[in-house]
Amino acid sequence: MTLDYFRTLYDYNYWAHSQVWGCVMALTDEQFTRDTGFSWRSIRGQLVHVMSAEWVWFMRVNGTSPEFPLLEADFPTREKVREEWYRVEGMVRAAVEGLKPEELDEYVVYRNTQGEEFSEPLWQILLHVINHSTDHRAQTLAMIHQMGGTTVEQDFIRYVRRFQTFSG
């Protein structure tokens, strides 16, 4: 796995997020906050969870282990979620862009939110964040679909075909 590979995955990740955001912005406020009884309960809950996970993991990568995730209650509207979303996206993009090839195999030592210490190679954390985001985007799209909203495809191959950024 190379830095180009991870940079492509992160570009794809934020492209796919932006596609989902298009669907989210078409929802009513009630749909955005509706308790669906699934996963993080609401579309807002899903988005805050994904944003929080990316924030927590990249804070860890940068040497800080947050004691608490971001809280849904701190983001009552789509606008507040998006504002923080863009800030977190900027932080993640800058971190990925600033990586050196030799850092991929270096271990990141951190504490989870329960205070337990863990250590994983950076490349595993980078891949975990992408996988986690993909999982929750799919859940978010399923929730939107069940509400009768419009959804989009988020397949990596569609991104590659559109932007031709990955050469192997």
Side-chain angles (χ1 to χ4, degrees):
M1 294 188 191
T2 66
L3 277 179
D4 284 343
Y5 170 79
F6 282 108
R7 288 176 178 146
T8 299
L9 284 179
Y10 277 82
D11 285 344
Y12 155 72
N13 189 51
Y14 288 111
W15 169 82
H17 282 332
S18 73
Q19 301 303 298
V20 173
W21 265 108
C23 300
V24 169
M25 294 308 287
L27 299 174
T28 66
D29 290 341
E30 185 276 328
Q31 288 172 316
F32 181 65
T33 58
R34 181 186 299 169
D35 185 341
T36 65
F38 178 72
S39 191
W40 289 89
R41 314 294 293 175
S42 67
I43 302 296
R44 179 181 66 185
Q46 287 282 106
L47 295 175
V48 171
H49 171 70
V50 170
M51 175 177 70
S52 180
E54 291 183 8
W55 174 75
V56 165
W57 280 110
F58 276 85
M59 290 296 288
R60 291 169 178 165
V61 165
N62 290 326
T64 302
S65 294
E67 294 181 18
F68 303 99
L70 300 176
L71 302 175
E72 182 180 350
D74 292 336
F75 305 96
T77 65
R78 277 178 278 214
E79 293 72 25
K80 290 292 184 189
V81 177
R82 278 189 95 159
E83 182 181 307
E84 184 67 6
W85 187 281
Y86 290 136
R87 189 189 72 73
V88 171
E89 178 180 338
M91 177 188 76
V92 171
R93 284 184 178 275
V96 171
E97 221 24 66
L99 290 173
K100 297 177 183 82
E102 61 273 13
E103 292 175 308
L104 292 175
D105 290 323
E106 290 180 6
Y107 277 73
V108 176
V109 179
Y110 64 92
R111 292 191 179 280
N112 66 12
T113 55
Q114 289 76 46
E116 302 166 307
E117 188 172 288
F118 292 92
S119 176
E120 279 97 26
L122 177 58
W123 73 265
Q124 290 180 0
I125 291 171
L126 294 174
L127 196 53
H128 168 73
V129 171
I130 294 296
N131 188 60
H132 180 265
S133 291
T134 300
D135 177 41
H136 284 284
R137 273 194 309 272
Q139 291 178 20
T140 301
L141 288 170
M143 292 164 75
I144 292 170
H145 176 76
Q146 289 175 346
M147 291 178 190
T150 303
T151 61
V152 293
E153 294 189 27
Q154 61 161 338
D155 293 335
F156 177 74
I157 198 68
R158 289 189 178 275
Y159 170 80
V160 171
R161 288 175 184 157
R162 182 170 177 187
F163 297 102
Q164 298 294 306
T165 59
F166 187 66
S167 60

